[in-house]
Amino acid sequence: MAFLHDIKELVRPYYLVNCILSISFLVLKTVSPMCMYLFPVGESQCELDMKQSEIMFFLLFVIVMRARKTGSVTMLAYLSTGFMYCKVASLILWFNADPRYGLVFLVLFVLQAILFPEPSYTGPEKVVYFNATSLEEELNRNKKVVWIVTFYTVWSPSCVNFASTFSKLSAEYTLDNLKFGKVDVGRFPELAKKYYINDTSFSRQLPTIIVFKNGEEYDRRPAIDSKGQLQKFIFNEDNVKVQLDFNNIYNDCKKNPIKEKKEKRVKSE
């Protein structure tokens, strides 16, 4: 079902336009008669030269490594990760071939970002967004509430990929005593420091999910072992449910709902 959903998503303008831009140089440089018309006779016609081939191989290596690092496990996630690198590489190649072509491609690059942004999750969610102080206040307000909080940044590809999954989980599991929250550690780095989360661009802790019980940290992913080493974790829906024991937490919370205090009304005659 997930694969069929991904196939349907590919017809959206974002994916179609990005695919065209990503392969534009490779196709127009190697396919006749376009290559003969666009590139002078003095250049290597209808084939990549050594420098261009090196850029292409380096691009492939970067895409694979970044996809592994960001935990991209679906076709759409791989494409979203690869599009940006492909377009940047194509921009370099077009400028190298002819600055005029590079300027045209740059204009198309910018227009695509404005007119066809990446589709975002539009389904239901029950997520509370915290700031630097509200998280601590909420944890202490009622310690019978279990909080599942994602610490993220807006610029991290892995955080962007995981956002829709977390929203779906919040809609599926939220109860009066089981709630979901998010903290942007890019805006509130003091919280990243407090919960020992590396928020730099080289971090392997973005996103981080922490489960709070009784107002204190109960579990987290990615976890840190006894030697202080970060354990690798892939942020997909099944992994999060199993590794953080969502179903048991949900069942425990459902069996032990918060009892509201009923005020006794004294009737005065």
Side-chain angles (χ1 to χ4, degrees), residues 28-42:
L28 294 176
K29 183 67 171 69
T30 58
V31 176
S32 180
M34 290 87 77
C35 59
M36 300 180 67
Y37 175 76
L38 288 173
F39 299 94
V41 178

Side-chain angles (χ1 to χ4, degrees), residues 24-49 52 90 93-102:
S24 61
F25 183 85
L26 181 63
V27 171
L28 294 176
K29 183 67 171 69
T30 58
V31 176
S32 180
M34 290 87 77
C35 59
M36 300 180 67
Y37 175 76
L38 288 173
F39 299 94
V41 178
E43 297 185 12
S44 301
Q45 281 190 313
C46 299
E47 62 180 14
L48 299 175
D49 60 27
Q52 293 165 349
S90 295
L93 290 168
W94 279 119
F95 264 110
N96 182 64
D98 191 320
R100 294 171 297 177
Y101 296 158

Side-chain angles (χ1 to χ4, degrees), residues 19-244:
C19 185
I20 292 170
L21 291 177
S22 298
I23 65 174
S24 61
F25 183 85
L26 181 63
V27 171
L28 294 176
K29 183 67 171 69
T30 58
V31 176
S32 180
M34 290 87 77
C35 59
M36 300 180 67
Y37 175 76
L38 288 173
F39 299 94
V41 178
E43 297 185 12
S44 301
Q45 281 190 313
C46 299
E47 62 180 14
L48 299 175
D49 60 27
M50 183 64 69
K51 184 177 181 180
Q52 293 165 349
S53 299
E54 289 175 353
I55 292 176
M56 287 294 182
F57 279 114
F58 180 73
L59 170 65
L60 179 62
F61 174 78
V62 169
I63 291 174
V64 171
M65 295 304 296
R66 290 295 298 176
R68 290 181 61 185
K69 180 180 178 182
T70 58
S72 301
V73 293
T74 66
M75 178 174 60
L76 296 183
Y78 272 116
L79 287 174
S80 297
T81 302
F83 279 149
M84 180 57 67
Y85 297 104
C86 287
K87 288 186 294 183
V88 170
S90 295
L91 181 63
I92 295 171
L93 290 168
W94 279 119
F95 264 110
N96 182 64
D98 191 320
R100 294 171 297 177
Y101 296 158
L103 288 174
V104 173
F105 187 84
L106 179 60
V107 171
L108 295 175
F109 193 140
V110 174
L111 287 176
Q112 176 273 312
I114 297 173
L115 300 177
F116 305 110
E118 184 175 359
S120 57
Y121 176 74
T122 56
E125 71 168 22
K126 296 181 180 179
V127 178
V128 179
Y129 290 83
F130 295 113
N131 58 32
T133 58
S134 60
L135 174 60
E136 195 68 26
E137 292 173 356
E138 196 62 44
L139 291 176
N140 292 323
R141 189 190 309 277
N142 188 340
K143 294 190 176 182
K144 293 183 179 180
V145 176
V146 176
W147 280 96
I148 299 174
V149 181
T150 292
F151 295 78
Y152 74 103
T153 62
V154 296
W155 47 260
S156 168
S158 51
C159 292
V160 173
N161 290 338
F162 181 63
S164 60
T165 299
F166 191 72
S167 295
K168 293 175 186 176
L169 291 171
S170 72
E172 181 180 353
Y173 284 94
T174 292
L175 298 169
D176 288 340
N177 55 348
L178 175 58
K179 298 183 179 181
F180 289 73
K182 295 184 77 172
V183 176
D184 183 354
V185 294
R187 294 179 59 195
F188 309 110
E190 60 269 33
L191 289 178
K193 184 177 181 180
K194 178 177 181 179
Y195 292 104
Y196 305 102
I197 298 171
N198 182 353
D199 60 349
T200 66
S201 58
F202 298 100
S203 174
R204 293 188 294 121
Q205 289 182 277
L206 293 174
T208 288
I209 305 179
I210 298 181
V211 178
F212 292 95
K213 288 187 177 182
N214 299 315
E216 298 180 352
E217 180 178 335
Y218 172 76
D219 199 1
R220 73 161 63 195
R221 292 293 184 278
I224 301 174
D225 62 24
S226 57
K227 297 181 180 179
Q229 298 295 319
L230 194 67
Q231 297 178 346
K232 185 177 179 180
F233 184 76
I234 296 177
F235 283 89
N236 61 36
E237 186 173 342
D238 291 336
N239 269 358
V240 172
K241 285 182 177 180
V242 172
Q243 294 295 319
L244 290 174

Side-chain angles (χ1 to χ4, degrees), residues 246-263:
F246 268 36
N247 289 327
N248 284 333
I249 292 175
Y250 177 83
N251 290 330
D252 288 343
C253 290
K254 199 169 185 179
K255 292 177 182 177
N256 300 285
I258 297 175
K259 296 179 180 179
E260 297 181 359
K261 295 181 180 180
K262 296 182 179 180
E263 296 181 356

